[in-house]
């Protein structure tokens, strides 16, 4: 029997890229005729005609399954929906913008057939990204891997091949606040790596602004480490020691030289500095409490409005 490979792609307002995507997938299927392909396209509440184009493809191509979510839930829940729907022996998360080239998928499948349960696609060249994006990504990976026990491979995105047992393991993870790169790394399994050069977008513009990337980075930091909370414990301890030392200094100076009139500038600096530290620490604690609050609601990660496939 032919092995089934599922390609999972979230779509959000990718109308101009759908045609390029369909042609790239058709070329891949023609090249790998020894395998049966299932193309799971998840429309994440697009406001353009992305969904209509995907439905039209699904009506004429039995390889396609189109999942329409009830609204825009975000890329991580949309990817989770695709992984839940995918039925392949191997599953490949894949972006609609074709920056991750489908041409390396045959090499990923070969590594899988050779025994790898996860095949990572690592970007050896990110020249298509801006300098700022490259540097901030580098800083994020370094910081995350220092404070978290779950190490995220650098320059590796969602694009990878996962064996069915890996996908089944991911489906057992119940959290609502999902940072998929971290979850992929957390489950582990036997891993191989293939390097590639990242391409420019086939069409359209990225949907990830700097603000969304910042929030995603916070999600990764707070979702896989409690070190930020511990750091503020040490900062508080250090501040307390400084305060005690300063109090001893004041007592000694008063005994030796008498009482002097203190200045307002030093008092203002001390109050504002310590107040700022307190607000930052409260904010970090609030980030974790917010995660607890959202997890206790036990709401589903996504809701499916309709599933489209050719009969």
């Amino acid at each position: 029997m032919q092995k089934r490979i599922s390609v999972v792609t979230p779509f959000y307002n990718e109308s101009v890229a759908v045609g390029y995507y369909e042609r790239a997938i058709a070329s891949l299927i023609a090249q790998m005729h020894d395998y049966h392909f299932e193309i799971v396209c998840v429309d994440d509440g697009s406001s353009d005609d992305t969904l209509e184009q995907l439905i039209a493809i699904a009506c004429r191509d039995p390889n396609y399954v189109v999942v329409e979510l009830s609204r825009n839930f975000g890329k991580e829940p949309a990817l989770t929906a695709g992984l839940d729907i995918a039925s392949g022996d191997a599953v490949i998360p894949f972006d609609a913008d074709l920056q991750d080239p489908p041409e390396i998928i045959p090499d990923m499948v070969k590594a899988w057939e050779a025994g790898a349960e996860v095949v990572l696609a690592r970007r050896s060249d990110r020249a298509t990204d801006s300098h700022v994006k490259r540097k901030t990504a580098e800083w994020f990976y370094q910081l995350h891997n220092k404070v978290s026990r779950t190490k995220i491979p650098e320059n590796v995105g969602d694009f990878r091949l996962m064996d069915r047992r890996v996908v089944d393991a991911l489906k057992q993870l119940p959290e609502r606040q999902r940072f998929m790169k971290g979850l992929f790394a957390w489950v582990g399994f036997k891993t191989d790596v293939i390097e590639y050069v990242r391409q420019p977008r086939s069409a359209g513009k990225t949907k990830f602004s700097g603000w969304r990337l910042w929030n995603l980075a916070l999600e990764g930091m707070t979702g896989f480490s409690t070190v930020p909370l511990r750091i503020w414990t040490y900062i508080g301890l250090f501040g307390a020691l400084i305060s005690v030392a300063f109090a001893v200094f004041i007592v000694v100076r008063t005994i030796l030289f008498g009482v002097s009139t203190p200045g307002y500038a030093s008092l203002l600096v001390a109050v504002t500095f310590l107040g700022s530290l307190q607000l930052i620490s409260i904010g970090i604690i609030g980030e974790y409490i917010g995660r607890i609050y959202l997890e206790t609601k036990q709401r589903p990660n996504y809701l499916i409005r309709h599933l489209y496939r050719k009969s």
Side-chain angles (χ1 to χ4, degrees):
M1 294 181 62
Q2 283 185 317
K3 289 185 177 180
R4 178 188 293 260
I5 298 175
S6 297
V7 177
V8 175
T9 304
F11 284 81
Y12 177 64
N13 290 344
E14 295 286 359
S15 175
V16 295
V18 172
Y20 295 98
Y21 177 86
E22 181 186 13
R23 288 191 289 273
I25 293 298
S27 176
L28 175 67
I29 293 175
Q31 180 183 355
M32 302 183 65
H33 52 81
D34 291 336
Y35 296 88
H36 177 72
F37 275 84
E38 174 190 54
I39 313 301
V40 181
C41 300
V42 182
D43 180 71
D44 187 26
S46 297
S47 57
D48 58 11
D49 67 341
T50 297
L51 177 61
E52 288 73 16
Q53 292 189 54
L54 293 175
I55 294 173
I57 296 173
C59 288
R60 62 177 180 264
D61 190 336
N63 292 315
Y64 278 76
V65 178
V66 176
V67 183
E68 180 188 1
L69 300 186
S70 62
R71 63 171 177 84
N72 176 244
F73 286 89
K75 184 181 178 182
E76 311 293 285
L79 181 55
T80 300
L83 295 177
D84 289 344
I85 295 293
S87 60
D89 301 295
V91 180
I92 303 174
F94 184 66
D95 287 345
D97 56 21
L98 302 183
Q99 284 193 279
D100 301 324
E103 291 79 14
I104 71 168
I105 289 180
D107 294 330
M108 298 168 75
V109 172
K110 287 180 182 177
W112 171 55
E113 293 283 20
E117 294 166 309
V118 177
V119 184
L120 302 178
R122 176 183 292 154
R123 303 157 186 165
S124 60
D125 185 352
R126 300 187 61 165
T128 57
D129 294 334
S130 67
H131 176 73
V132 173
K133 187 173 182 180
R134 291 197 302 270
K135 292 303 294 183
T136 52
E138 178 184 343
W139 294 337
F140 166 73
Y141 286 121
Q142 290 176 354
L143 180 60
H144 183 281
N145 290 341
K146 284 181 179 179
V147 303
S148 174
R149 292 183 179 179
T150 303
K151 308 302 180 184
I152 299 178
E154 291 191 31
N155 294 319
V156 175
D158 295 331
F159 185 37
R160 66 191 65 209
L161 181 147
M162 296 177 289
D163 186 82
R164 167 48 52 184
R165 69 186 70 184
V166 180
V167 178
D168 289 341
L170 284 168
K171 291 165 70 173
Q172 295 179 42
L173 305 182
E175 54 254 55
R176 271 64 182 167
Q177 299 296 104
R178 302 179 73 81
F179 179 63
M180 296 305 295
K181 293 182 183 65
L183 297 181
F184 290 150
W186 187 87
V187 296
F189 290 91
K190 185 178 179 182
T191 303
D192 200 354
V193 178
I194 293 178
E195 295 194 347
Y196 73 99
V197 177
R198 190 164 171 81
Q199 304 297 317
R201 283 182 64 96
S202 60
K205 297 180 180 180
T206 180
K207 309 305 183 296
F208 272 88
S209 63
W211 180 248
R212 291 187 66 184
L213 288 173
W214 166 254
N215 286 328
L216 187 63
L218 283 180
E219 195 72 44
M221 294 294 297
T222 57
F224 289 87
S225 175
T226 58
V227 168
L229 291 174
R230 195 172 304 151
I231 287 175
W232 285 101
T233 301
Y234 294 133
I235 290 176
L237 179 61
F238 178 75
L241 292 176
I242 293 296
S243 299
V244 170
F246 187 68
V248 171
F249 168 75
I250 293 296
V251 170
V252 172
R253 189 182 67 174
T254 302
I255 293 173
L256 296 178
F257 304 104
V259 178
S260 61
T261 303
Y264 290 103
S266 58
L267 180 62
L268 179 63
V269 170
V271 170
T272 55
F273 176 70
L274 292 176
S276 299
L277 288 183
Q278 290 173 341
L279 290 174
I280 294 172
S281 62
I282 290 172
I284 293 177
I285 294 171
E287 185 71 28
Y288 283 90
I289 293 175
R291 293 183 62 88
I292 296 171
Y293 171 69
L294 293 173
E295 291 294 335
T296 57
K297 288 176 177 290
Q298 295 292 295
R299 290 174 180 167
N301 288 303
Y302 59 87
L303 294 174
I304 295 177
R305 182 175 182 273
H306 207 284
L307 205 65
Y308 304 88
R309 69 174 81 213
K310 188 175 182 180
S311 301

